[in-house]
Amino acid sequence: MKISKQDYSRREFIKKNSLIGAGTVLGLSAVQGVFAQTLNTSESLTPAILGGKAVREKGWTKWPYWDPAAMDQEILKVVRSGVWSRADVTTEFEKQWAEMLGVKRCLSVVNGTNALIAALVQLGIGGGDEVLVPPYTFIATVAAVLNTGAMPVFVDVDPETFQIDPEKIEAKITSRTRAILPVHILGLPADMPRIMEIAKKHKLLVLEDACQAHLAEINHQKVGTIGDAGCFSFQNSKNLPIGEGGAIVSNNDEFIDRCFSYNNYGNPYGSVVGEVGAGTLMLGTKIRTTEYQSAIGLVQLKHLKKQTETRSENAAYLKSKIQAIQGIIPYKLYNHVTKAAFHLFPFRFDQDEFEGMSREVFLKALRAEGVPCSGGYATLNNMPYLDHAFHTKNFQKMYPKKMLDFDRYLSNNQCPNNDLLCNRQAVWLTQNLLLGPKTDMDDIANAIEKIRKNADPIKKKIQV
Ligand SMILES: Cc1ncc(COP(=O)(O)O)c(C=O)c1O
């Protein structure tokens, strides 16, 4: 950012003189709106990106959460026991996570990506199959499909909810389609009742990617437990963090038994670590978790419900404040959503209401006010990794040439709503920002409002 000497003196002049003006206004009337509560000096009215004082100067709630008294003790217990590979602590974590979700079975594994791959493979998905996925997701969802040898087919999103648009699913079903992989992206539930209806009609499997949606609910049923199976991630940024980790959940005993075998070299369900004579039943791999991770997970589970409530209350409060700001369009939840996890708090930014300011300048200005934020995902439906997969030996052998023609694939998988979210509109705040007091939400709303009010000078002076 370049600011000329002349600009600086003008700013100083405005600062000094508008102090009197602001004082007069404040003296005369109760100032309306989110903006009024904390910004009462002219210095605060100058956007931080143009040299003013930031709305927020202190930090935010730290993540991952660490409960030293409990965690140090539980980890030490595991270390001192000498039992470090998966054993009883992991079994207890799986039991408690399944109970909390209201699902029959849970298998925890090394991470969410491998949970997805294992679940897809054990659902019988593989080479020659098509799996319907939203483009608005983390790369792992699509990579998991490709790693099984199946072909991802992208279904555009509903920009209001950021989720896969169920009304666009049927047009993408072909004779190769075997499964729908809805993602409860950002921790907001996808429209599962409608997705299940379509899946039933077309006899498709449903694997829920709930990696960002711990304890989110539809009609009081936890997401991840509605389809044939669900997968979670416990990676460090997630709402249930243990460093790295993941889980597959399902009400289907036979399926989870197979996942268990797959996760332990294909050895029978119930065989323990180190047992080499049980006989190997099926093709498997090794994606076992450890006792240290499960020990951390057991402590995190004690805090998850309360943290989810706090995020939910703060998200509703913040939404109520920022939806009044022209050009800011917060997320919408489907009617049947009874709880969202808010792994991220998303809203859409309309540059026309911000004097044509680009989203990138808006993000920069918001960060300058002390609010960490990002523009989120890039478009996943047109990246080189797809073409790379199509050139692998397996794909070349499994699919007709026409299906691996990348230009043809790109034109069949266009997702204009996703393009808009990724390239121009989406703004994310991370979940830890929602864990503080309500005054933290006021700071966020005030920062956005301040940028809106100063859109013109910011747009004129700042380039990215
Ligand atoms: C939507 C989604 N799916 C899958 C994953 C993969 O999880 P992991 O990072 O634990 O492998 C993530 C994690 O970032 C995710 O956000």
Side-chain angles (χ1 to χ4, degrees), residues 26-238:
L26 287 166
L28 284 176
S29 64
V31 183
Q32 299 291 310
V34 289
F35 193 46
Q37 294 172 12
T38 54
L39 301 178
N40 52 12
T41 67
S42 64
E43 195 181 35
S44 3
L45 291 171
T46 305
I49 198 163
L50 298 182
K53 185 170 153 42
V55 168
R56 174 87 177 191
E57 289 183 322
K58 59 180 183 202
W60 302 84
T61 306
K62 293 247 182 322
W63 196 259
Y65 173 76
W66 184 257
D67 171 354
M71 281 186 193
D72 294 1
Q73 201 185 355
E74 292 307 314
I75 289 178
L76 254 183
K77 251 200 257 170
V78 167
V79 173
R80 287 178 177 155
S81 75
V83 182
W84 298 345
S85 292
R86 85 154 279 150
D88 295 349
V89 182
T90 300
T91 305
E92 181 58 25
F93 172 72
E94 291 169 341
K95 186 171 155 266
Q96 289 193 23
W97 183 227
E99 271 170 17
M100 208 177 264
L101 293 175
V103 71
K104 220 164 155 190
R105 301 281 300 278
C106 168
L107 168 74
S108 66
V109 294
V110 285
N111 52 44
T113 309
N114 279 281
L116 286 165
I117 296 172
L120 284 166
V121 169
Q122 295 315 316
L123 286 171
I125 307 294
D129 296 336
E130 288 179 350
V131 177
L132 305 181
V133 292
Y136 202 69
T137 184
F138 183 58
I139 181 65
T141 314
V142 188
V145 173
L146 289 166
N147 271 295
T148 70
M151 180 68 80
V153 173
F154 291 98
V155 177
D156 207 356
V157 291
D158 173 351
E160 293 199 329
T161 60
F162 297 75
Q163 308 301 314
I164 189 169
D165 185 344
E167 299 319 317
K168 295 202 164 80
I169 289 178
E170 285 190 286
K172 293 288 181 117
I173 295 173
T174 72
S175 57
R176 287 178 178 269
T177 313
R178 292 286 315 284
I180 309 174
L181 207 174
V183 183
H184 304 289
I185 203 65
L186 317 176
L188 315 182
D191 187 358
M192 288 309 291
R194 185 72 188 108
I195 291 167
M196 294 307 288
E197 207 174 85
I198 296 165
K200 199 168 166 203
K201 179 173 158 198
H202 295 273
K203 298 191 171 53
L204 301 175
L205 294 160
V206 176
L207 173 62
E208 293 173 75
D209 182 338
C211 283
Q212 298 187 0
H214 312 79
L215 300 190
E217 292 173 0
I218 292 168
N219 293 327
H220 301 286
Q221 185 176 359
K222 300 281 187 292
V223 305
T225 71
I226 301 167
D228 294 279
C231 291
F232 290 89
S233 166
F234 307 132
Q235 179 270 336
N236 240 25
S237 70
K238 299 297 188 300

